[in-house]
Amino acid sequence: MAASLEEDDDFLANDFYALLNVGKEATTEEINYAFRRLSKIYHPDKHLDPSKKKAAEEVFSKLKKAHEILIDKHKRTIYDTYGEKGLKTEGLEIISRTKTPAEIIAEYERLQREREERRLQQRTNPRGTVTVGVNATDLFDEYGDDDDDVYYGPSYNNVEINNMSIFQSVECPLTVKDTLVIGGNLQARNGTGAGAFLATWRRLTSDKGWMEIETAAGSGLGFSLKGFRQLTRRCYGTSSLVLHSTPKGIRPAMSTMVAYQFDREVQGRLTYNAGFPSSIQSTLVYSNQDHHASLTLQVGITNSYFSLSYTKKFQEQEAKLKGAIKFGVTGGMVEYGFEKKITQFSHLGASMVIGVPTGVHLKIKVYRGSQTFLFPIHLSETLSPSAIMYGTLVPVATYFVVKKLIVDPFLKQQKEQELEQKREEHAEKLAKRKQEAKAATDLMKETVERNIEVEEKKMGLIIVKALYGKLQSSEDGELMDGECIDVLVQLQALIKDSKLIVPETVSKSGLPGFYDPCIGEEKSLYIRYKFRNRLHQVTLSDTEVIRLPQQRHLMKDEVSAAKS
């Protein structure tokens, strides 16, 4: 329905579209018609019994509120974007669901802390990368096999960490256009350590460009100047100048890149690198929602190569499958890998790189928020078949085992704990919602009786059985009530002229007389109905459109009887 305002009880919010049984694209006339029709059932003046009159007042108040908001273009836009809470001013009105002053103060302070944490996260934008290099070549590269007379001593399969590096940076906004980035890195390789402190000043020069000045101090001094400029509507360019001090003097380097957007999905880039080694590179990139491919040709004094890469994006599974090849004057390589989102904030990726003369490498990547963890593992210095096989199969098998035995149970337990906590925190509201649904259903019964009488006379649409919730079947295949509620009366009340139409909704629990019997669980709606004295049945998902009757809903026995 609408985007939440980060409140923890959005699942209890009213769905105004579902209350009026209209779609999100409904016109003002359709909304008015739906309101008038429901008013015939729920208007307090339609009921003389005091208890029913009181229940009708509560239901009608909700319907009236939904009607008033949806026919107001401004309020409807806010509701579609932020939900019901978006119509309230920020502050104590948002947290008015609490009761005592102490609870209000505690809730207000909690919201303030969350806002401050989000603001700090946005302002500092911390980023970090940890790289741990592993040398595992002893597992696959054996020595002494060519000469049995030579003794090399006892054989040990050592797996060692031969390099490690850590990089961390934070952003410090100074003005609307100026940002200071402070960072540093430490690295150790084969017992030798190094590090550097970085300070970068970035300025937006205009709405079409920016510039960046960076200084580095550590293993020598460094200075760089970078810039970006939008040249035309489809063309932009970047340029950088780097000066780095070494024991042999100042080493300069310069790079310039021009990119042109041929259409929405195709871009070309031309890059020139001056310095040592110098090169010129041409890249063609194709990218859309499901595919990403790049073709690169580089010509240089010491390194000329051709490369092709392709990535397939699986949006529903939140995963990527990647493959790449590269051939050049110094050798070639083949790479293939996979990346998958495993939790809300975490991604896991692994790729195999097989090349000459580099050998076989396994690269494991873990992304957690703005932190990146890289584990490049050198498996073999040669094209070892066993290294390729184990490097491919072991990560895949490990991923499925860990996911099945650790990640999935953890996420399931976490979800159950969160749901249980929400149920406990809002038990009173859930009980009230259930009572409101029962009261609304009682108000429908007289209308439903008349509706059934009319439909029976013309052999129209009559609901025989309707269950909503977590559907379960008995041994004989019959649906059990379990974590379901009976919604026969609620659906029959929505039938008009032998038709039942319910537009797509966020959840059917928002329909009049409905409530959510199993918070957080996947819900379905089962309907068995008679039309022209023949039985039909259908099972729909929680958000699916209801459109009855339909020929394809005929039960098997009825179809067989019709054929005979």
Side-chain angles (χ1 to χ4, degrees):
M1 179 186 65
S4 73
L5 290 178
E6 300 177 334
E7 295 297 321
D8 57 2
D9 60 344
D10 282 336
F11 63 92
L12 291 172
N14 292 310
D15 184 344
F16 292 157
Y17 292 99
L19 276 172
L20 296 176
N21 191 29
V22 295
K24 290 199 68 175
E25 306 300 325
T27 63
T28 302
E29 291 74 17
E30 290 172 336
I31 294 171
N32 287 332
Y33 174 78
F35 177 67
R36 287 195 300 269
R37 184 175 175 225
L38 291 171
S39 297
K40 295 178 181 178
I41 302 175
Y42 299 110
H43 198 286
D45 294 343
K46 301 286 183 180
H47 304 275
L48 300 177
D49 183 88
S51 60
K52 287 188 176 182
K53 192 177 187 69
K54 184 178 179 181
E57 288 175 352
E58 294 181 0
V59 177
F60 185 74
S61 175
K62 287 186 176 183
L63 293 173
K64 187 177 179 181
K65 181 179 180 181
H67 175 255
E68 289 175 350
I69 289 173
L70 295 186
I71 61 173
D72 186 303
K73 291 183 179 180
H74 179 67
K75 292 182 179 179
R76 185 175 178 177
T77 301
I78 296 175
Y79 174 74
D80 288 344
T81 308
Y82 298 110
E84 188 176 355
K85 294 181 181 64
L87 298 166
K88 303 175 182 178
T89 58
E90 185 176 3
L92 293 181
E93 286 189 33
I94 289 181
I95 57 176
S96 61
R97 62 178 184 275
T98 52
K99 296 181 178 180
T100 66
E103 289 176 328
I104 292 177
I105 293 172
E107 183 72 358
Y108 182 78
E109 290 178 348
R110 183 185 69 82
L111 291 174
Q112 286 294 98
R113 286 195 301 270
E114 289 182 356
R115 293 190 188 101
E116 287 298 325
E117 290 174 1
R118 289 194 298 271
R119 189 178 295 113
L120 180 63
Q121 178 78 11
Q122 293 169 354
R123 290 181 65 85
T124 61
N125 192 22
R127 296 181 180 275
T129 301
V130 177
T131 304
V132 180
V134 180
N135 187 343
T137 55
D138 280 1
L139 296 177
F140 301 99
D141 295 340
E142 299 181 359
Y143 302 94
D145 293 342
D146 295 336
D147 191 349
D148 294 335
D149 296 332
V150 179
Y151 176 67
Y152 291 90
S155 176
Y156 298 102
N157 293 330
N158 294 323
V159 176
E160 62 178 7
I161 296 176
N162 58 1
N163 68 84
M164 179 181 293
S165 65
I166 301 174
F167 174 79
Q168 185 71 41
S169 70
V170 294
E171 292 185 0
C172 307
L174 303 177
T175 66
V176 176
K177 293 185 176 183
D178 299 290
T179 302
L180 177 65
V181 182
I182 300 174
N185 67 73
L186 293 172
Q187 56 184 347
R189 180 181 294 273
N190 297 324
T192 303
F197 171 79
L198 307 173
T200 305
W201 173 58
R202 184 183 302 135
R203 179 175 177 80
L204 294 174
T205 55
S206 67
D207 57 349
K208 293 184 178 181
W210 53 263
M211 63 173 292
E212 185 177 281
I213 298 175
E214 180 179 279
T215 58
S219 300
L221 297 175
F223 171 84
S224 68
L225 176 64
K226 302 176 184 178
F228 167 89
R229 178 69 180 179
Q230 187 78 35
L231 303 175
T232 66
R233 188 172 63 88
R234 292 194 172 194
C235 181
Y236 67 88
T238 63
S239 185
S240 66
L241 173 65
V242 180
L243 300 175
H244 184 69
S245 64
T246 67
K248 296 182 179 181
I250 302 295
R251 174 177 290 182
M254 188 181 73
S255 176
T256 301
M257 188 271 291
V258 177
Y260 186 83
Q261 197 75 33
F262 294 99
D263 59 27
R264 181 177 297 180
E265 299 177 342
V266 180
Q267 183 184 87
R269 303 170 189 164
L270 184 64
T271 305
Y272 173 67
N273 294 303
F276 186 83
S278 61
S279 64
I280 185 168
Q281 183 184 98
S282 178
T283 303
L284 187 65
V285 179
Y286 172 83
S287 183
N288 59 22
Q289 187 175 1
D290 300 316
H291 309 277
H292 179 89
S294 66
L295 177 67
T296 301
L297 176 63
Q298 176 172 304
V299 178
I301 297 176
T302 60
N303 188 14
S304 297
Y305 66 85
F306 163 83
S307 69
L308 175 65
S309 68
Y310 171 75
T311 300
K312 169 63 177 175
K313 305 172 188 177
F314 302 91
Q315 300 294 335
E316 294 184 359
Q317 291 77 20
E318 296 180 299
K320 298 178 182 178
L321 183 64
K322 178 183 179 181
I325 58 173
K326 179 180 178 182
F327 297 100
V329 295
T330 59
M333 72 89 180
V334 175
E335 180 179 0
Y336 53 89
F338 189 74
E339 183 180 315
K340 179 76 170 67
K341 183 177 181 179
I342 53 176
T343 66
Q344 184 178 0
F345 303 105
S346 302
H347 290 75
L348 176 64
S351 62
M352 280 289 292
V353 181
I354 306 164
V356 176
T358 55
V360 182
H361 292 77
L362 170 64
K363 297 180 180 179
I364 298 175
K365 306 174 185 177
V366 180
Y367 305 95
R368 174 69 180 175
S370 59
Q371 303 298 309
T372 303
F373 300 88
L374 305 176
F375 302 91
I377 305 173
H378 193 182
L379 298 179
S380 176
E381 295 179 355
T382 62
L383 300 183
S384 169
S386 58
I388 297 172
M389 182 185 69
Y390 283 104
T392 302
L393 298 181
V394 171
V396 174
T398 302
Y399 166 76
F400 284 106
V401 170
V402 171
K403 185 176 186 299
K404 189 73 174 178
L405 300 182
I406 300 177
V407 176
D408 288 349
F410 172 76
L411 294 177
K412 182 179 179 181
Q413 182 183 18
Q414 188 180 50
K415 182 180 178 181
E416 289 175 351
Q417 290 176 348
E418 290 175 354
L419 289 174
E420 186 62 30
Q421 183 178 0
K422 283 186 175 182
R423 292 188 186 107
E424 292 176 358
E425 291 177 354
H426 306 287
E428 185 177 341
K429 289 188 176 182
L430 289 171
K432 183 179 179 182
R433 180 62 62 87
K434 184 176 180 179
Q435 292 176 355
E436 290 175 349
K438 184 179 182 304
T441 304
D442 291 339
L443 296 173
M444 300 177 189
K445 289 182 178 178
E446 293 182 5
T447 301
V448 168
E449 289 175 0
R450 293 193 298 270
N451 185 294
I452 292 176
E453 184 178 348
V454 172
E455 293 295 327
E456 282 181 339
K457 289 181 180 180
K458 57 182 180 181
M459 294 189 298
L461 180 59
I462 300 175
I463 306 297
V464 176
K465 183 175 184 178
L467 295 175
Y468 172 69
K470 189 176 180 180
L471 302 181
Q472 296 177 339
S473 301
S474 60
E475 294 181 358
D476 59 359
E478 191 68 18
L479 286 172
M480 300 184 299
D481 290 354
E483 293 185 78
C484 299
I485 57 174
D486 187 341
V487 291
L488 185 153
V489 173
Q490 294 91 317
L491 292 180
Q492 188 70 44
L494 296 176
I495 293 175
K496 181 174 178 58
D497 297 330
S498 298
K499 293 181 181 180
L500 173 59
I501 299 175
V502 177
E504 182 179 358
T505 58
V506 173
S507 173
K508 290 181 174 59
S509 60
L511 293 170
F514 279 62
Y515 68 92
D516 194 338
C518 46
I519 297 293
E521 301 285 349
E522 186 175 341
K523 292 169 282 293
S524 303
L525 174 64
Y526 170 79
I527 307 174
R528 182 180 296 176
Y529 62 95
K530 285 172 59 178
F531 181 68
R532 295 177 181 172
N533 287 334
R534 300 169 72 183
L535 284 174
H536 300 64
Q537 67 177 3
V538 63
T539 301
L540 305 168
S541 69
D542 194 19
T543 60
E544 196 172 350
V545 174
I546 303 176
R547 195 176 296 277
L548 308 180
Q550 292 191 42
Q551 179 73 21
R552 60 190 178 92
H553 295 164
L554 264 175
M555 295 179 67
K556 292 182 179 179
D557 295 342
E558 295 288 346
V559 174
S560 301
K563 289 182 178 179
S564 61

